[in-house]
């Protein structure tokens, strides 16, 4: 039994669409036959930029599970938990005298049943029709007004067609917020089955346990000690590790000894003094109240050994401290984990943004560290843990680790902003790569290639896919000098024209604006190649570029009117006419757009001094660069990286920016137009 899906409707940033999170089963959090475990493939990931809505998912689970001990109590929801756009629509409805819909927040929990685990579904019995043997069960939780007629009357009096005008929309919005806040006592969290029947006497806390680890809470010098205190306290209560009776008897004996000594030494004198100054019979009795928890918290001190030296806790690096706090919280959870809940409850472990304070390498290894910790704990306890791990992050390194360690994109939930609302998209292998042998190879490629900045796609405002190294070196400098693009996170992913198609499905799922900058790759005959013939027209010519072929109605044929290709959030850019010629590579485009530029000429001369003299001549005639751009392309074929680095050096040291080739400029304009919407 596990949480399969979680839908948030009109809760904070989540509206009525694109609002469902998908989770993976907990089957991997147990020892395999060889004693190993792999939590990566069974860890649910929430990825996205800051303020996208990741924390909202954690807050919703926490409010539903931990905020309400019983279904009849007042939940910890406020007006601020209602979706802003949803409230605006309701205000408009009320302003048109339509009062059928009242403000509510809804959640849909889909519970997956694994019949092979012999799940005890007694807590779900009310949601299962008699005689029905489901694979999954839906629970509808709705936070709604109980006394609806009273609420409607209040709304009618404050918001109606006579009051609601263009000028006072905002006033009406705040009137509704006030009404909701004043009626929070009249709101209840109710549960319904799939048929809309209310299920009473149901407690979500009896079905789900949610243990949240706030990984970014390294705020005190003794946070490690506090974490280990809770571990030792939990272990002390376990018969497996300690004789708790003996421990308690020791503490009781200490309390008795303290009472006797202090009463003898001090209390009797105090009582004689009190008697002498008051008519009332007042006496003092000292009672020692030493507990195991107090001993651990206030008496036991921790020392941490590093290279045979003991290091004070406050001298630990924040990154390692954060990691150790997370692991200690997991240890605490494992110690307290009731084996009786293995098949009867859904146990969720939420870790929020663990990358805080961690350097990139530690982030990359985070999942493996957690994996090792859980493996050791399971060996100690000789038990399985039926828990799902939910991890939110904006670290590309943790995403890399998840994909590589788990070997899958499954259960990665991409959360992004869609206007003022959040948009949740669940990724999985089938969405990214369709079935088929070729696609399987593509999928292998994408899983391995993702480490080369590809995971930045999950956190970028936009992306540019480029041919190779030269573009990857120079485009960041061009972007940094663009006053619009330099304010956004534009990730650049070097990948050749053919392999750009591998990312097609993933890019469409993410829906961020993407430009593919690729070479037109015009086919030349042997004589044209030998003579370094310049191209002035692509009429009736073919390309060898598979990306262009794919978007060109599966045709290799080109014409002068062949334009850039656009498909949803993707646009493909290739070389266009540049100073009278059509370049066929990035380097040739740079040369044609800047044939007489001193910075470009300096880079060409540094890269190929002999060829430079041969082409430009003596005295120098820059026009020769333009008329021999294809020759330059051929001569630079083995030194593209060197040329790019030389050009970058020249631009940086002279604070120069060269002319962008037309297709690069068009690509930037496309990205800017999308980001401005």
């Amino acid at each position: 039994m596990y949480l399969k899906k979680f839908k948030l409707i009109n809760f904070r940033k989540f509206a009525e669409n694109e609002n469902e999170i998908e989770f993976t089963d907990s089957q991997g959090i147990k020892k395999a036959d060889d004693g190993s475990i792999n939590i990566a493939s069974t860890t649910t990931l929430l990825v996205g930029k800051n303020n996208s809505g990741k924390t909202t998912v954690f807050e919703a689970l926490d409010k539903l599970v931990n905020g309400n001990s019983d279904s009849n109590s007042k939940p910890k929801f406020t007006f601020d938990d209602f979706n802003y756009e949803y409230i605006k629509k309701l205000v408009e409805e009320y302003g048109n005298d339509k009062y059928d819909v009242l403000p509510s927040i809804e959640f849909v929990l889909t519970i997956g049943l694994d019949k092979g685990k012999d799940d005890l579904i007694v807590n779900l019995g009310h949601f299962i029709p008699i005689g029905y043997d489901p694979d999954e069960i839906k629970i509808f939780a709705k936070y709604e007004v109980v006394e609806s007629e009273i609420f409607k009357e209040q709304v009618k009096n404050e918001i109606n067609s006579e009051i609601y005008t263009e000028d006072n929309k905002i006033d009406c919005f705040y009137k509704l917020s006030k009404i909701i806040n004043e009626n929070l006592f009249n709101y209840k969290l109710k549960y319904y089955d799939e048929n809309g029947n209310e299920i009473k006497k149901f407690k979500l806390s009896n079905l789900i346990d949610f243990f949240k680890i706030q990984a970014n809470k390294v705020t005190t010098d003794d946070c490690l000690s506090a974490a280990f205190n809770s571990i030792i306290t939990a272990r002390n209560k376990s018969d497996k590790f300690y004789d708790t009776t003996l421990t308690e008897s020791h503490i009781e004996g200490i309390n008795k000894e303290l009472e006797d000594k202090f009463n003898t030494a001090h209390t009797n004198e105090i009582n004689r003094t009190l008697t002498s100054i008051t008519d009332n019979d007042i006496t003092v009795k000292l009672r020692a109240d030493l507990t195991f928890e107090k001993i651990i918290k206030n008496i036991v001190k921790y020392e941490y050994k590093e290279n045979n030296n003991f290091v004070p806790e406050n001298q630990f690096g924040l990154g390692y401290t954060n990691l150790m706090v997370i692991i200690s919280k997991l240890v605490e959870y494992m110690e307290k984990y009731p084996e009786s809940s293995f098949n009867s409850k859904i146990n969720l472990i939420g870790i929020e943004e663990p990358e805080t304070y961690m350097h990139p390498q530690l982030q990359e290894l985070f999942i493996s560290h957690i994996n090792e910790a859980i493996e050791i704990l399971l060996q100690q306890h000789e038990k399985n843990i039926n828990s799902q791990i939910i991890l939110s992050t904006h670290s590309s390194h943790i995403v890399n680790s998840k994909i590589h360690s788990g070997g899958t994109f499954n259960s990665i939930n991409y959360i992004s902003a869609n206007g003022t609302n959040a948009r949740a998209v669940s990724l999985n292998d089938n969405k990214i790569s369709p079935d088929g042998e070729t696609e399987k190879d593509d999928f292998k490629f994408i899983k391995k290639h993702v480490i080369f900045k590809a995971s930045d796609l999950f956190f970028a405002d936009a992306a540019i896919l480029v041919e190779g190294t030269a573009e990857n070196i120079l485009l960041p400098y061009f972007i940094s000098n663009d006053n619009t693009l330099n304010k956004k996170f534009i990730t650049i992913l070097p990948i050749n024209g053919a392999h750009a198609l591998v990312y097609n499905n993933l890019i469409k799922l993410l829906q961020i604006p993407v430009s593919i900058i690729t070479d037109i790759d015009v086919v030349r005959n042997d004589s044209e190649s030998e003579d370094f013939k310049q191209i002035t027209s692509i009429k009736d010519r073919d390309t060898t570029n598979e990306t262009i072929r794919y978007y060109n109605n599966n045709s290799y044929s080109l014409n002068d009117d062949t334009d850039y290709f656009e498909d949803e959030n993707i646009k493909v850019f290739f070389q266009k006419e540049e100073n009278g010629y059509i370049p066929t590579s990035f380097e040739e485009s740079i040369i044609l757009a800047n044939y007489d530029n001193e910075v470009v000429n300096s880079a060409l001369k540094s890269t190929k001094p002999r060829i430079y003299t041969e082409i430009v001549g003596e005295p120098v005639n820059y026009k020769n660069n333009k008329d021999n751009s294809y020759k330059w392309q051929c001569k630079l074929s083995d030194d593209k990286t060197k040329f790019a680095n030389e050009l970058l050096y020249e631009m940086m040291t002279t604070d120069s920016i060269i002319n962008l080739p037309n297709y690069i400029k068009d690509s930037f304009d496309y990205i800017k137009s999308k980001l401005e919407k």
Side-chain angles (χ1 to χ4, degrees), residues 568-579:
E568 296 183 21
N569 58 313
I570 303 171
K571 194 163 184 175
V572 182
F573 296 85
F574 47 85
Q575 287 86 8
K576 295 281 190 174
E577 185 270 335
E578 205 79 57
N579 281 323

Side-chain angles (χ1 to χ4, degrees), residues 380-408:
Q380 289 180 345
H381 287 273
E382 299 179 351
K383 66 179 180 182
N384 294 328
I385 304 294
N386 185 30
S387 294
Q388 296 172 257
I389 295 179
I390 312 161
L391 196 152
S392 71
T393 184
H394 43 62
S395 165
S396 58
H397 303 285
I398 289 179
V399 176
N400 283 339
S401 179
K402 153 77 175 173
I403 296 170
H404 281 286
S405 302
T408 178

Side-chain angles (χ1 to χ4, degrees), residues 129-263:
I130 298 175
Y132 186 52
D133 187 20
D135 294 321
E136 63 179 41
I137 297 168
K138 290 185 184 294
I139 297 173
F140 296 81
K142 190 172 183 180
Y143 181 63
E144 60 186 346
V145 177
V146 178
E147 300 293 338
S148 58
E149 293 304 318
I150 296 174
F151 187 89
K152 281 183 183 180
E153 220 36 58
Q154 284 183 276
V155 174
K156 288 177 182 178
N157 291 334
E158 296 292 334
I159 307 170
N160 53 61
S161 56
E162 295 182 8
I163 299 172
Y164 184 79
T165 63
E166 194 66 31
D167 294 330
N168 69 352
K169 283 184 177 180
I170 297 176
D171 287 341
C172 290
F173 178 91
Y174 286 110
K175 283 181 179 179
L176 182 58
S177 71
K178 184 180 179 182
I179 293 171
I180 292 175
N181 276 322
E182 290 176 349
N183 280 273
L184 286 176
F185 69 91
N186 192 28
Y187 269 81
K188 301 292 182 185
L189 185 67
K190 297 182 178 182
Y191 298 96
Y192 300 89
D193 64 14
E194 287 192 72
N195 297 318
N197 301 312
E198 184 181 354
I199 306 299
K200 298 180 179 180
K201 298 181 179 180
F202 173 76
K203 298 179 182 180
L204 194 62
S205 58
N206 288 343
L207 177 67
I208 298 176
D209 179 65
F210 182 51
F211 182 74
K212 186 169 70 170
I213 301 175
Q214 292 180 293
N216 57 351
K217 295 298 183 181
V218 183
T219 56
T220 62
D221 290 340
D222 63 346
C223 57
L224 277 178
S225 296
F228 285 116
N229 286 341
S230 61
I231 294 171
I232 294 175
T233 300
R235 288 171 69 90
N236 186 66
K237 295 177 180 179
S238 171
D239 291 336
K240 180 176 176 60
F241 296 101
Y242 294 99
D243 186 343
T244 57
T245 303
L246 181 63
T247 304
E248 290 172 1
S249 67
H250 284 168
I251 295 173
E252 187 178 337
I254 293 171
N255 279 327
K256 182 67 168 61
E257 186 175 347
L258 286 172
E259 287 180 17
D260 291 343
K261 286 185 175 182
F262 278 94
N263 281 323

Side-chain angles (χ1 to χ4, degrees), residues 602-626:
S602 179
L604 288 170
K605 189 175 182 179
S606 298
T607 307
K608 293 286 188 180
R610 186 181 63 80
I611 300 297
Y612 181 81
T613 302
E614 177 186 316
I615 291 177
V616 177
E618 293 179 344
V620 170
N621 184 355
Y622 289 146
K623 185 175 179 297
N624 290 336
N625 283 327
K626 181 178 70 169

Side-chain angles (χ1 to χ4, degrees), residues 290-301:
L290 189 63
T291 64
F292 183 84
E293 288 79 4
K294 291 179 180 179
I295 293 174
I296 294 298
K297 183 177 181 180
N298 300 310
I299 298 177
V300 176
K301 301 298 180 184

Side-chain angles (χ1 to χ4, degrees), residues 444-621:
K444 286 181 184 177
F445 171 85
I446 208 172
K447 282 196 301 180
K448 293 182 178 182
H449 190 260
V450 74
I451 198 170
F452 301 109
K453 294 181 66 179
S455 56
D456 284 348
L457 288 169
F458 298 111
F459 311 99
D461 295 301
I464 301 176
L465 276 58
V466 299
E467 281 280 328
T469 306
E471 294 96 322
N472 194 40
I473 292 171
L474 292 172
L475 286 190
Y477 183 74
F478 297 151
I479 290 172
S480 70
N481 283 276
D482 187 289
N483 291 328
T484 299
L485 295 181
N486 62 13
K487 296 178 176 65
K488 302 291 185 178
F489 176 28
I490 313 296
T491 186
I492 298 173
L493 185 60
I495 193 166
N496 69 38
H499 290 152
L501 294 174
V502 175
Y503 282 93
N504 196 58
N505 292 328
L506 176 59
I507 289 169
K508 287 184 176 180
L509 286 170
L510 302 182
Q511 290 191 11
I512 60 172
V514 173
S515 73
I516 299 176
I517 296 177
T518 191
D519 292 337
I520 196 168
D521 292 334
V522 170
V523 178
R524 287 178 165 88
N525 59 44
D526 291 342
S527 67
E528 288 177 324
S529 297
E530 291 171 2
D531 297 336
F532 303 114
K533 182 178 174 61
Q534 302 282 103
I535 291 180
T536 58
S537 171
I538 58 172
K539 184 179 180 181
D540 299 326
R541 285 184 175 269
D542 289 342
T543 178
T544 59
N545 189 299
E546 288 297 322
T547 297
I548 292 177
R549 188 271 311 163
Y550 176 85
Y551 288 104
N552 191 30
N553 295 318
N554 208 31
S555 172
Y556 292 102
S557 298
L558 301 173
N559 273 297
D560 288 329
D561 61 352
T562 302
D563 204 354
Y564 306 130
F565 308 104
E566 190 168 3
D567 183 18
E568 296 183 21
N569 58 313
I570 303 171
K571 194 163 184 175
V572 182
F573 296 85
F574 47 85
Q575 287 86 8
K576 295 281 190 174
E577 185 270 335
E578 205 79 57
N579 281 323
Y581 298 109
I582 298 174
T584 55
S585 72
F586 177 64
E587 293 75 21
E588 187 181 4
S589 302
I590 293 285
I591 293 168
L592 280 173
N594 301 275
Y595 67 91
D596 57 354
N597 182 285
E598 291 185 5
V599 170
V600 173
N601 275 270
S602 179
L604 288 170
K605 189 175 182 179
S606 298
T607 307
K608 293 286 188 180
R610 186 181 63 80
I611 300 297
Y612 181 81
T613 302
E614 177 186 316
I615 291 177
V616 177
E618 293 179 344
V620 170
N621 184 355

